[in-house]
Amino acid sequence: MSGDREAEEADAARETTSAASTARPLRRDAELNRRRILQAGREVFAARGLQATLNDVAHHAALGVGTVYRKYPDKQALAEAVYAEELDEIAVLAREARDTDDAFDALADFLEKALARAAHNRGLRELMRQGSVEGAGLTRARQAITAHCEHLLARARTEGALRAGVTEADLAPIAAMIDAVMAMPAEQPSQPWRRYLVIVLDGLRAHPGQAELPDL
């Protein structure tokens, strides 16, 4: 009888080990598919904007449409996941800028890096312009970016490098102005938005004898 019990226990152990080994590859495959869909979503939304469909993403990822829908039930869910990651990365850039000694130069460098990402990402520009995709991850990342930028503006103001009258509320309209330049058809394969960013930044920097800014 003891031998029978031992044999049964050995069989059960083998079945458990077999089930676990089967589950691990399945979990790995599911995670690989998730990352593959997210990367495809990034590339498709960047190139085509937020009007791209889940079918477009599935085709780009070389996956079945059903696989994409099992991970993300609609385009809103996928766009939220894609751009929560994107904005988290931009928030990291803003956080790193806070560690720079010169606050104004750090703010200028951050704006250039963030806008450079937007220049090559139609979906990101639409997200910034329209706010048509929402979610907890996006809200958290936006709040982090805003907090870091406000910190840099406050430091630049204290250091005397920021033009009098410039406030945190000026950043969103500035980004919108640069976005409008990005949307203009360019005759040359250059990036004219960089030219206008330099002009804007010069207007934000404190200079002797500057005129007082009108109220908002």
Side-chain angles (χ1 to χ4, degrees), residues 11-181:
D11 288 341
R14 280 194 295 272
E15 288 175 4
T16 301
T17 301
S18 176
S21 63
T22 300
R24 279 195 294 270
L26 286 175
R27 285 196 293 270
R28 282 199 297 270
D29 288 346
E31 176 60 16
L32 286 172
N33 281 343
R34 188 185 73 84
R35 295 306 309 172
R36 193 169 168 183
I37 293 166
L38 280 175
Q39 183 59 33
R42 273 194 172 207
E43 293 170 3
V44 170
F45 290 144
R48 305 185 197 180
L50 295 175
Q51 78 275 13
T53 67
L54 286 186
N55 286 8
D56 295 328
V57 174
H59 179 75
H60 189 73
L63 291 171
V65 176
T67 301
V68 176
Y69 275 93
R70 280 194 295 274
K71 298 294 181 185
Y72 300 98
D74 53 41
K75 184 174 68 174
Q76 175 84 13
L78 176 58
E80 180 186 341
V82 166
Y83 285 108
E85 280 195 350
E86 189 82 37
L87 292 187
D88 277 340
E89 292 170 9
I90 293 174
V92 169
L93 294 176
R95 178 65 188 87
E96 291 171 347
R98 291 180 58 164
D99 296 329
T100 304
D101 291 336
D102 188 306
F104 189 93
D105 285 349
L107 177 65
D109 184 61
F110 164 71
L111 289 175
E112 192 278 333
K113 288 178 179 176
L115 290 168
R117 294 176 74 114
H120 300 287
N121 194 323
R122 182 175 169 182
L124 180 58
R125 295 203 308 277
E126 290 175 1
L127 179 76
M128 294 166 59
R129 188 186 318 126
Q130 301 167 4
S132 54
V133 178
E134 293 299 334
L138 290 170
T139 299
R140 183 194 67 250
R142 283 193 183 104
Q143 289 173 344
I145 293 167
T146 299
H148 296 323
C149 287
E150 288 176 350
H151 176 86
L152 286 169
L153 281 172
R155 273 185 53 207
R157 191 177 293 116
T158 299
E159 293 168 7
L162 188 67
R163 182 174 185 167
V166 173
T167 72
E168 291 74 12
D170 292 312
L171 290 182
I174 287 170
M177 287 189 289
I178 299 299
D179 173 71
V181 174

